[in-house]
Amino acid sequence: MNQLSDRINSLSTSATLAMAAKARELREEGKDIIGLSLGEPDFDTPDFIKEAAKQAIDDNYNSYTPVDGYAELKDAIITKFKRDNQLDYNRQQIVVSTGAKQSLFNIASVMLNDGDEVILPCPYWVSYSDIVKLNGGVPIEVKTSIDNDFKMTPEQLEAAITPKTKMIWYSSPCNPSGSVYSKKELRALADVLQKYPNIYVVSDEIYEHINFVGGHCSIAQFEDMFERTITVNGVSKAFAMTGWRIGYIGAPTTIARACNKIQGQVTSGANCIAQRAVISALEATPDNVQYMIDEFKERRQLILGLLREIDGFSCNEPEGAFYVFPDISAYFGKTIKGQTINNASEFAMYLLENANVATVTGDAFGNPNCIRISYAASQEQIIEAVKRIKDALS
């Protein structure tokens, strides 16, 4: 008798976490591994946020929190949405969760029925597809390419829509490509959706402040899209708070209350100390973390310049986040140091074993021709990592 459910047996292991675990294993064996696989800022959480957490401990915040978040945090989120995104939400439309990943899972759980289709522009964040599948949905991948900066066109969107289409999920800035949809590009997608009023949009904006072109746009800013968009965000990336595990949504009231309902049966409210700290983070203006964005921009130029010196790497210029997503398909079928490279997964493993550099296969993101390289690492590590990659491929 099979002890495990078909559901868990069909679930993929997170490729980013699997590569990080493999890198840790090799480090424990004494190998000098440079990790460029995880999407985690290498900065410390800003001091003013840490002080708010300490104050919360001293103030004896230790009880269960409201399922959908403290009222004061929801107010800070409402202020942030208005200040940064020109979006007007009320408390009933906000749900705070244990990370944006839980926010996404909540949405899928309350909106998808078996067989509902969810359009995913490729590449997409590694967990989108499996979250959709776990909740009975069917991921519909829309292939993009490096030639158009990995963005879905209105024509591609229209071609992917069927009578079963329930939602579209996308991130901007995008993990893994770093692509940023402009207001004009989002408006063109929204124009297509006007023909299909029952399709909802999940806009993942966790990287909004790590934006090198400015002018971040939320598709919910359009009046005709506000009531059909769920805006997902959090503090992990811009505030270097990955381990604090706080994400949140702004959504139509019915959807937000449904997310509150399911969260009440799964995890209840998010961590009390983290919530108090996030109030301080969101009440501060984005200028308080500009030093991180400036450093990421320098690293982007550094790693792009170095990677473009390697034959077989084709890189566009990402406009946000902290990843490059080079097309390395020129290596497929080639034999290097006695090892034949057949796909991106084998290429990423080759780099780990022969260059001691951890990256992530593009297969996990819906693009089998690329690998994802995080430049959330020091400039010294970036220089050394690319040198190792170049040496291993020469």
Side-chain angles (χ1 to χ4, degrees):
M1 182 178 178
N2 189 355
Q3 292 179 310
L4 301 179
S5 68
D6 293 340
R7 185 181 301 109
I8 193 63
N9 285 330
S10 67
L11 181 67
S12 303
T13 300
S14 168
T16 52
L17 298 181
M19 182 59 85
K22 180 66 175 177
R24 281 194 299 270
E25 180 184 312
L26 292 174
R27 286 193 191 99
E28 290 169 0
E29 295 174 4
K31 292 190 177 182
D32 177 23
I33 304 296
I34 298 177
L36 302 181
S37 60
L38 280 181
E40 182 167 45
D42 59 321
F43 296 96
D44 293 327
T45 302
D47 287 342
F48 75 95
I49 299 173
K50 292 188 285 188
E51 290 303 320
K54 295 174 187 176
Q55 187 62 53
I57 294 171
D58 291 340
D59 290 344
N60 294 310
Y61 280 93
N62 51 27
S63 302
Y64 287 128
T65 63
V67 172
D68 54 357
Y70 284 125
E72 300 95 322
L73 176 53
K74 294 172 78 171
D75 287 344
I77 292 168
I78 290 167
T79 298
K80 174 260 174 296
F81 271 133
K82 181 64 175 177
R83 179 192 67 212
D84 300 341
N85 310 109
Q86 295 78 58
L87 300 177
D88 288 305
Y89 291 109
N90 60 50
R91 286 183 181 176
Q92 288 291 99
Q93 295 175 302
I94 304 296
V95 180
V96 178
S97 302
T98 305
K101 186 180 286 189
Q102 185 184 17
S103 298
L104 290 164
F105 197 93
N106 287 347
I107 294 163
S109 295
V110 305
M111 294 193 69
L112 292 177
N113 290 312
D114 289 350
D116 285 345
E117 293 178 352
V118 178
I119 294 174
L120 304 179
C122 298
Y124 48 76
W125 181 51
V126 62
S127 291
Y128 286 175
S129 181
D130 280 297
I131 288 174
V132 168
K133 290 176 184 176
L134 271 174
N135 288 282
V138 180
I140 303 298
E141 298 185 350
V142 175
K143 303 297 183 183
T144 66
S145 74
I146 196 170
D147 298 325
N148 67 342
D149 288 327
F150 301 108
K151 297 179 186 179
M152 178 176 66
T153 66
E155 293 76 19
Q156 288 178 306
L157 171 58
E158 180 118 42
I161 292 172
T162 76
K164 294 182 178 181
T165 303
K166 183 68 175 286
M167 288 191 285
I168 299 160
W169 287 25
Y170 76 97
S171 60
S172 178
C174 175
N175 176 4
S177 69
S179 302
V180 176
Y181 283 92
S182 68
K183 188 171 186 177
K184 180 179 179 181
E185 289 165 337
L186 288 177
R187 181 65 257 176
L189 296 176
D191 288 343
V192 172
L193 293 175
Q194 296 315 302
K195 308 173 192 175
Y196 308 94
N198 295 322
I199 297 176
Y200 284 80
V201 175
V202 171
S203 178
D204 182 349
E205 302 181 13
I206 193 77
Y207 291 93
E208 70 166 315
H209 294 310
I210 308 175
N211 182 328
F212 311 127
V213 294
H216 173 79
C217 180
S218 301
I219 196 168
Q221 289 175 5
F222 303 129
E223 186 176 349
D224 53 9
M225 292 301 300
F226 182 76
E227 289 296 334
R228 26 191 315 209
T229 300
I230 304 98
T231 305
V232 180
N233 213 320
V235 294
S236 292
K237 311 303 181 179
F239 294 95
M241 297 177 71
T242 51
W244 297 69
R245 308 311 304 134
I246 298 291
Y248 55 86
I249 64 169
T253 303
T254 301
I255 295 171
R257 292 305 87 206
C259 288
N260 177 68
K261 181 179 180 181
I262 195 165
Q263 187 165 296
Q265 296 288 12
V266 179
T267 61
S268 298
N271 179 278
C272 57
I273 305 302
Q275 285 199 53
R276 305 309 300 186
V278 171
I279 293 172
S280 293
L282 295 183
E283 286 180 344
T285 64
D287 292 345
N288 285 271
V289 293
Q290 186 61 42
Y291 65 94
M292 297 189 206
I293 287 80
D294 292 341
E295 176 62 23
F296 282 134
K297 188 173 183 179
E298 284 190 26
R299 294 175 185 179
R300 177 190 65 158
Q301 295 311 113
L302 173 64
I303 197 168
L304 283 174
L306 294 171
L307 289 176
R308 285 168 176 162
E309 295 176 1
I310 303 177
D311 290 339
F313 273 66
S314 178
C315 301
N316 67 321
E317 186 162 304
E319 297 178 322
F322 38 71
Y323 310 104
V324 286
F325 199 60
D327 187 317
I328 44 79
S329 59
Y331 286 94
F332 296 172
K334 291 187 176 181
T335 300
I336 310 170
K337 298 180 181 177
Q339 183 174 338
T340 301
I341 306 295
N342 295 303
N343 52 53
S345 297
E346 291 182 5
F347 188 86
M349 190 55 65
Y350 176 86
L351 294 185
L352 181 62
E353 294 174 347
N354 293 274
N356 287 342
V357 176
T359 61
V360 188
T361 173
D363 282 305
F365 304 97
N367 187 314
N369 293 329
C370 299
I371 60 170
R372 190 190 78 172
I373 303 174
S374 168
Y375 53 87
S378 69
Q379 295 194 27
E380 292 75 18
Q381 283 184 309
I382 291 169
I383 292 169
E384 175 61 21
V386 179
K387 178 181 180 298
R388 292 183 187 184
I389 291 172
K390 190 174 184 178
D391 290 343
L393 296 174
S394 63

